[in-house]
């Protein structure tokens, strides 16, 4: 008899969803889906509010990548008042560099959270280890010195976010046309040199290097597993600068295929002209795809792996060495290997630390030209903002009426962009770990979760909901009857 | 833990117990989600009234791993958080014990887990109390519900009440033992 497997909940991700796996009469996987089952309408909630409140309110979608939402909203507001990248009237270098500094600080601490909380423990203890061991708390018991460094990485990142954005969470620094503060030399020196409460930027670089070494060690010992687990082909997309290198704050949207051939390159203001969103009755999360290629061929992957696949080089030396090693290992092709996402994330932690060090030493951050003032005549009432959030390309689009109140808001978050490729990963892992099996084991459950967690999905963001949500796995027979279910 | 302070009954715990520069009062919550803002409102109330002036006061949306570092050098910590627990009628003050809680996500951790992480990483741990105040509504709206506001007032009046042992508590503070 065919079977259907339900994993409910999938743990240690953000959002409420479950996985359903359909088996045939011989227990072969014939379908696998990640179902996202919670919805809360942030886009509706924002309507009627003054336009300038949007970056403040919409960042409350998330407690982790709130800086990305804040900056994305700020870029929209720049457009709306006629000061953005849609014009030649750009914000000042100080304003953009302040925004970038906060952005990189968030990437550092967000990636460190995902990597050290969720991924390193599984690398060190193994996928089959008991759940209470393979997490950061188990790591705290086994290697407290490593966890102390993780604590400091997060603390350092959070404190830098506070220094730049005014608050540790849900910052207030970006305003239409710029920012409301610069970085004083005294504050700058604290982060460069460290003090009694925080380490120095060079310490952060050391911690980041150690994080990457952890992946290299793990990869060396588990090469076959890492290179075959959850293979999920997709196009790769990220923002790039004029050299074709990733730019986390601004650029063109570049989409490449597995041979690194450019499939599309577009101004993000034209996003809606190139992408469509499919819906499924079993999930609140949409499935974006390149309209011209269709959903099957036109779905994209975003986030660390996509960025490392797309970018040709890094501006910083240590990350450049790591990137060359990654590209050489994958023989010039884009990697579709789900666990290489963790490799890419570790590289980006290092790159973020280097970018921060560069900016901390940039005297533009102490300058006073913070805002480009807009006149009423420059008002456009509509804008699009895109940034590379830690989890991938994030897009905000708002419209406001002549009174300045929001009439329309649309958010396309990274986890939504990755919806199709996450589903492909679940299918791939299910085929390998569940195909031909008659019952669910802890190791099988965790394999599914490892595949999903590689994307560090935020289903709260993807459905515009708040709160933490676990996940389930359900097993269905060929007639669609539920024959097994498991949750943690 | 602080065995020498175990003689202090929970009923004797007031703000005076935390009125010291090595104490921390930590409001957890989100004022944009109705009664989830109870922890922040508590801190705002202390600051408005200048109560417990010597303690460090912070407000954050949720606990994170780095809070282990924040509490590691404190002697006493009071966490104030909203509670959905229907068995909490208005508020509940209790002493927390460290515990590895494996239900965490990358977005949030429990008080007990922060304590356990603090112990694992730094080999010391403060005396921790939790003031859980009952809330009722958690939607995307600014402002406490009427009932939560009432519970907050009751909680504040409880911990701010004068008790005969306050002076002794203040004296005890200097003797409190940190670490295991």
């Amino acid at each position: 008899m065919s079977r259907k497997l339900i994993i409910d909940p999938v743990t240690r991700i953000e959002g409420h969803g479950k996985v359903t796996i359909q088996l045939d009469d011989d227990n072969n996987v014939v379908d696998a889906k990640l179902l996202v089952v919670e919805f809360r309408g942030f886009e509706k909630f924002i309507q009627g509010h003054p336009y300038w409140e949007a970056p403040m309110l919409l960042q409350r979608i998330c407690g982790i990548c709130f800086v990305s939402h804040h900056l994305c909203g700020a870029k929209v507001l720049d457009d709306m008042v006629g000061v953005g990248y849609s014009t030649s009237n750009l914000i000042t270098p100080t304003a953009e560099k302040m925004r970038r500094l906060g952005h990189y600080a968030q990437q550092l601490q967000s990636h460190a959270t995902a990597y050290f909380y969720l991924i390193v423990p599984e690398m060190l203890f193994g996928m089959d280890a008991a759940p209470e061991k393979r997490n950061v708390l188990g790591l705290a018991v086994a290697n407290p010195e490593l966890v102390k460094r993780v604590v400091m990485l997060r603390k350092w990142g959070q404190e830098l976010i506070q220094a730049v954005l005014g608050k540790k969470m849900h910052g207030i620094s970006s305003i239409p046309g710029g920012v409301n503060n610069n970085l004083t030399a005294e504050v700058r020196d604290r982060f460069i040199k460290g003090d009694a409460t925080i380490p120095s930027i060079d310490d952060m670089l050391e911690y980041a290097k150690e994080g990457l070494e952890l992946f290299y060690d793990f990869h060396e010992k588990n090469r076959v597993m890492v290179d075959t687990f959850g293979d999920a082909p997709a196009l790769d997309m990220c923002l790039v600068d004029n050299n074709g290198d990733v730019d986390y704050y601004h650029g063109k949207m570049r989409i490449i295929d597995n041979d690194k051939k450019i499939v599309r390159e577009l101004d993000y203001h034209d996003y809606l002209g190139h992408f469509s969103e499919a819906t499924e009755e079993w999930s609140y999360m949409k499935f974006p795809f390149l309209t011209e290629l269709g959903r099957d061929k036109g779905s994209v992957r975003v986030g660390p792996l996509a960025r490392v696949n797309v970018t040709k080089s890094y501006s910083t030396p240590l990350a450049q060495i790591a990137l060359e090693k990654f590209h050489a290992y994958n023989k010039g092709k884009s990697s579709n290997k789900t666990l290489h996402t963790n490799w890419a994330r570790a590289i980006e932690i290092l790159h973020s630390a280097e970018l921060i060090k560069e900016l901390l030493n940039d005297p533009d951050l102490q300058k006073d030209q913070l805002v480009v003032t807009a006149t009423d005549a420059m008002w456009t009432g509509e804008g699009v903002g895109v940034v590379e959030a830690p989890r991938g390309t994030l897009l905000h689009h708002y419209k406001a009426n002549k009174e300045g109140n929001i009439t329309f808001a649309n958010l396309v978050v990274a986890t939504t962009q990755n919806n199709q490729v996450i589903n492909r990963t679940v299918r791939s892992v299910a085929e390998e770990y569940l195909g031909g099996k008659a019952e669910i084991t802890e190791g099988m459950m965790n394999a599914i979760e490892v595949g999903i967690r590689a994307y560090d999905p935020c289903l709260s963001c993807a459905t515009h909901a708040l709160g933490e949500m676990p996940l389930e796995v359900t097993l269905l027979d060929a007639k669609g009857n539920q024959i097994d279910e498991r949750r943690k | 833990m602080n065995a020498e302070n175990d003689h202090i009954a929970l009923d004797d715990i007031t703000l005076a117990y935390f009125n010291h520069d090595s104490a921390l009062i930590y409001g957890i919550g989100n004022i944009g989600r109705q009664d989830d803002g109870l922890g922040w409102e508590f801190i705002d109330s202390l600051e408005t009234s200048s109560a417990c002036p010597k303690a460090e006061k912070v407000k954050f949306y949720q606990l994170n791993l780095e809070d282990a570092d924040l509490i590691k050098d404190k002697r006493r910590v009071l966490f104030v958080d909203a509670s959905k627990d229907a068995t909490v009628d208005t508020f509940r003050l209790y002493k927390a014990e460290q515990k590895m809680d494996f239900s965490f996500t990358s977005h949030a951790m429990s008080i007990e887990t922060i304590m356990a992480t603090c112990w694992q990483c730094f080999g010391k741990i403060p005396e921790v109390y939790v003031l859980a105040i009952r809330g009722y509504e958690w939607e995307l709206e600014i402002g406490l519900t009427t009932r939560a506001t009432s519970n907050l007032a009751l909680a504040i009046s409880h911990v701010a009440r004068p008790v005969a042992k306050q002076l002794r508590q203040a004296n005890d503070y200097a003797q409190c033992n940190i670490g295991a």
Side-chain angles (χ1 to χ4, degrees), chain A residues 171-224:
Chain A
I172 52 173
S173 67
S174 287
I175 56 178
V179 296
N180 61 15
N181 67 299
N182 64 10
L183 197 72
T184 66
E186 182 184 12
V187 172
R188 173 203 63 195
D189 289 346
R190 177 172 179 248
F191 288 99
I192 290 175
K193 298 172 186 170
D195 64 13
T197 59
I198 59 166
S200 69
I201 179 61
D202 286 334
D203 289 333
M204 292 299 101
L205 280 167
E206 286 303 313
Y207 298 169
K209 281 194 283 188
E210 289 174 23
L212 185 56
E213 288 297 330
L214 282 173
F215 185 86
Y216 290 152
D217 290 345
F218 173 69
H219 196 187
E220 189 63 36
K221 293 170 185 165
N222 300 276
R223 200 166 293 280
V224 173

Side-chain angles (χ1 to χ4, degrees), chain A residues 12 14 40 45 60 64 113 117 132 135 137 144 148 152 154-155 158 168-170 391 466, chain B residues 30 33 60-62 64-66 69 100-102 104-107 109 113 117 120-121 139-140:
Chain A
R12 291 188 284 137
E14 306 309 324
R40 202 183 293 273
F45 166 73
R60 289 173 182 270
I64 291 286
T113 305
Y117 275 41
E132 60 269 24
N135 59 52
L137 308 178
K148 276 165 83 171
M152 284 303 156
R154 271 200 54 91
K155 180 181 178 182
Q158 288 289 78
K168 281 188 180 174
M169 286 184 74
H170 302 160
R391 295 174 176 87
L466 286 167
Chain B
N30 183 347
R33 298 200 67 192
F60 293 124
Y61 291 87
Q62 63 215 9
N64 269 304
L65 195 65
E66 59 270 27
D69 179 76
M100 284 296 189
D101 173 356
F102 300 104
F104 77 100
T105 75
S106 59
H107 281 43
M109 303 177 89
T113 296
T117 305
Q120 288 294 336
C121 289
E139 295 304 316
L140 294 165

Side-chain angles (χ1 to χ4, degrees), chain B residues 35 38 90 134-137 144-152:
Chain B
D35 295 346
L38 276 162
T90 53
R134 179 72 196 281
Y136 306 93
E137 300 289 338
L144 303 179
T145 60
T146 304
R147 285 199 293 168
T149 303
S150 172
N151 293 344
L152 174 66

Side-chain angles (χ1 to χ4, degrees), chain A residues 77-378:
Chain A
L77 263 53
D78 294 342
D79 273 3
M80 293 174 95
V81 301
V83 178
Y85 280 101
S86 57
T87 73
S88 58
N89 193 19
L90 299 179
I91 65 172
T92 67
T94 299
E96 180 169 324
K97 287 175 183 177
M98 283 295 288
R99 289 182 182 181
R100 283 179 179 272
L101 183 60
H103 199 35
Y104 302 152
Q106 178 200 240
Q107 176 145 296
L108 178 77
Q109 64 96 346
S110 176
H111 274 356
T113 305
Y115 188 68
F116 289 102
Y117 275 41
L118 307 178
I119 295 161
V120 166
E122 268 162 352
M123 285 170 20
L124 293 183
F125 300 126
M127 219 180 287
D128 293 327
E132 60 269 24
K133 189 174 182 185
R134 53 176 158 77
N135 59 52
V136 73
L137 308 178
L139 200 59
V141 175
N143 192 343
E145 286 305 311
L146 176 59
V147 174
K148 276 165 83 171
R149 292 197 287 278
V150 180
V151 168
M152 284 303 156
L153 262 171
R154 271 200 54 91
K155 180 181 178 182
W156 199 92
Q158 288 289 78
E159 296 235 357
L160 185 54
I161 288 170
Q162 182 175 28
V164 173
L165 286 111
K167 294 168 70 178
K168 281 188 180 174
M169 286 184 74
H170 302 160
I172 52 173
S173 67
S174 287
I175 56 178
V179 296
N180 61 15
N181 67 299
N182 64 10
L183 197 72
T184 66
E186 182 184 12
V187 172
R188 173 203 63 195
D189 289 346
R190 177 172 179 248
F191 288 99
I192 290 175
K193 298 172 186 170
D195 64 13
T197 59
I198 59 166
S200 69
I201 179 61
D202 286 334
D203 289 333
M204 292 299 101
L205 280 167
E206 286 303 313
Y207 298 169
K209 281 194 283 188
E210 289 174 23
L212 185 56
E213 288 297 330
L214 282 173
F215 185 86
Y216 290 152
D217 290 345
F218 173 69
H219 196 187
E220 189 63 36
K221 293 170 185 165
N222 300 276
R223 200 166 293 280
V224 173
M225 191 273 281
V226 170
D227 292 348
T228 59
F229 182 93
D231 199 49
L235 303 173
D236 289 300
M237 179 172 82
C238 77
L239 291 176
V240 295
D241 62 18
N242 291 332
N243 295 321
D245 297 329
V246 64
D247 188 323
Y248 297 99
Y249 178 75
H250 183 69
K252 296 170 287 186
M253 280 175 155
R254 175 172 285 186
I255 301 155
I256 64 167
D257 64 15
N258 198 239
D259 293 321
K260 300 205 172 185
K261 179 184 169 191
I262 298 173
V263 175
R264 290 286 182 284
E265 190 158 280
L266 51 120
D267 182 328
Y268 60 75
H269 292 91
D270 301 329
Y271 174 87
L272 289 176
H274 293 267
F275 278 84
S276 300
E277 291 182 326
T279 58
E280 296 286 354
E281 62 182 15
W282 42 267
S283 179
Y284 279 122
M285 195 155 68
K286 295 174 181 175
F287 294 82
F289 60 91
L290 275 171
T291 307
E292 199 176 321
L293 295 182
R295 179 169 160 184
D296 185 46
K297 293 183 178 176
S299 294
V300 301
R301 169 176 40 232
V302 298
L305 182 59
R307 290 190 290 250
V308 172
N309 279 334
V310 170
T311 194
K312 293 179 176 173
S313 64
Y314 285 135
S315 59
T316 61
L318 296 174
Q320 174 63 21
I321 293 168
L323 183 72
E324 288 170 5
K325 183 170 180 172
F326 179 91
H327 284 174
Y329 188 81
N330 288 290
K331 298 181 170 58
K333 300 272 190 182
S334 289
S335 171
N336 289 312
K337 301 171 176 61
T338 297
L339 293 186
H340 282 197
T341 307
N342 301 330
W343 186 352
R345 190 173 280 118
I347 293 172
E348 288 200 328
I349 291 172
L350 183 58
H351 187 38
S352 301
E354 289 187 295
L355 288 169
I356 290 168
K357 184 174 181 179
E358 277 187 357
L359 275 177
L360 287 174
N361 286 288
D362 188 329
D364 276 354
L365 291 180
Q366 281 77 54
K367 293 181 178 172
D368 295 326
Q369 290 186 310
L370 304 180
V371 184
V372 174
T373 305
T375 64
D376 290 345
M378 294 159 65

Side-chain angles (χ1 to χ4, degrees), chain B residues 69-143:
Chain B
D69 179 76
L70 177 66
I71 68 171
K72 76 176 194 298
D73 295 322
K74 302 297 181 187
R75 292 187 167 194
R76 291 171 186 166
V77 177
L78 175 64
F79 287 103
V80 186
D81 197 4
S83 174
K84 292 180 179 177
D85 185 350
T87 65
V88 176
D89 186 31
T90 53
F91 68 89
R92 179 181 166 224
L93 178 67
Y94 63 94
K95 189 173 183 181
E97 301 293 344
Q98 62 163 312
K99 179 188 175 188
M100 284 296 189
D101 173 356
F102 300 104
S103 63
F104 77 100
T105 75
S106 59
H107 281 43
M109 303 177 89
S110 71
I111 291 167
E112 292 78 9
T113 296
I114 294 296
M115 294 171 68
T117 305
C118 182
W119 173 249
Q120 288 294 336
C121 289
F122 304 110
K124 55 184 179 179
I125 197 167
E127 187 180 1
V128 173
Y129 292 86
V130 180
L131 180 59
I133 306 173
R134 179 72 196 281
Y136 306 93
E137 300 289 338
W138 316 91
E139 295 304 316
L140 294 165
E141 192 174 319
I142 292 172

